[in-house]
Amino acid sequence: AACVVHAMVPLLGFWHSSATSIQMHKCSNPLACQGNRTKLLADRPAPTAMVTNCSEYITNASDYANMQCIEGYHGVLCGLCEAGYVKSKPFVCKRCLPATTIIGLYAVSALAMLA
C-alpha cells in the first residue's frame, strides 16, 4: 500500500510534531526552535510524494521533532533541556559547568569556610 505525504517545514520559531502535521505551534522560546531547517527540507519527501512506508514518518517523529531544536533543547516545542544542560529560567537551557569546575568551586568554598 502507498499513501500521499504532504510534507511541511515550520518557520524559525515555530514547531510541529511531524512532517505530515498541518498544525504549527509558536515556541515558548522561539530561539530554541531554530534548528537545522536545511536538513529538515532535505529529508522531507517531495510535496504530494507517493510513499510506500507511511509509518516511517510516524516512527521517526521524535527525530524530526528534535531536529527543529537547537543544541541543548529537545522535545515538544523544544521545551526540554538535553543532558548536560539545565533550565536557567522558564524555557531557557544553559550548558552545565564541567565537573572539574564544580569540584574546584566546592574545594575553594570548603577552604574559605575553614579559614
Side-chain angles (χ1 to χ4, degrees):
C3 64
V4 177
V5 176
H6 300 279
M8 299 188 330
V9 172
L11 296 173
L12 294 175
F14 288 82
W15 182 93
H16 68 142
S17 58
S18 75
T20 57
S21 172
I22 60 169
Q23 292 185 328
M24 303 289 170
H25 305 277
K26 185 173 174 128
C27 293
S28 298
N29 176 358
L31 294 176
C33 297
Q34 303 273 328
N36 190 344
R37 295 306 194 261
T38 304
K39 175 135 176 65
L40 290 173
L41 287 167
D43 288 350
R44 73 182 176 154
T48 66
M50 292 297 287
V51 177
T52 56
N53 184 6
C54 296
S55 64
E56 172 185 337
Y57 297 100
I58 296 168
T59 58
N60 291 331
S62 176
D63 291 340
Y64 176 83
N66 289 330
M67 280 196 295
Q68 297 172 72
C69 308
I70 62 170
E71 182 182 349
Y73 297 84
H74 73 106
V76 175
L77 298 172
C78 304
L80 300 173
C81 297
E82 291 181 334
Y85 289 79
V86 64
K87 222 168 253 234
S88 63
K89 55 185 173 179
F91 311 110
V92 177
C93 299
K94 297 286 183 188
R95 186 181 296 276
C96 295
L97 292 173
T100 54
T101 302
I102 294 171
I103 292 169
L105 290 172
Y106 277 121
V108 169
S109 298
L111 290 173
M113 289 188 336
L114 292 174

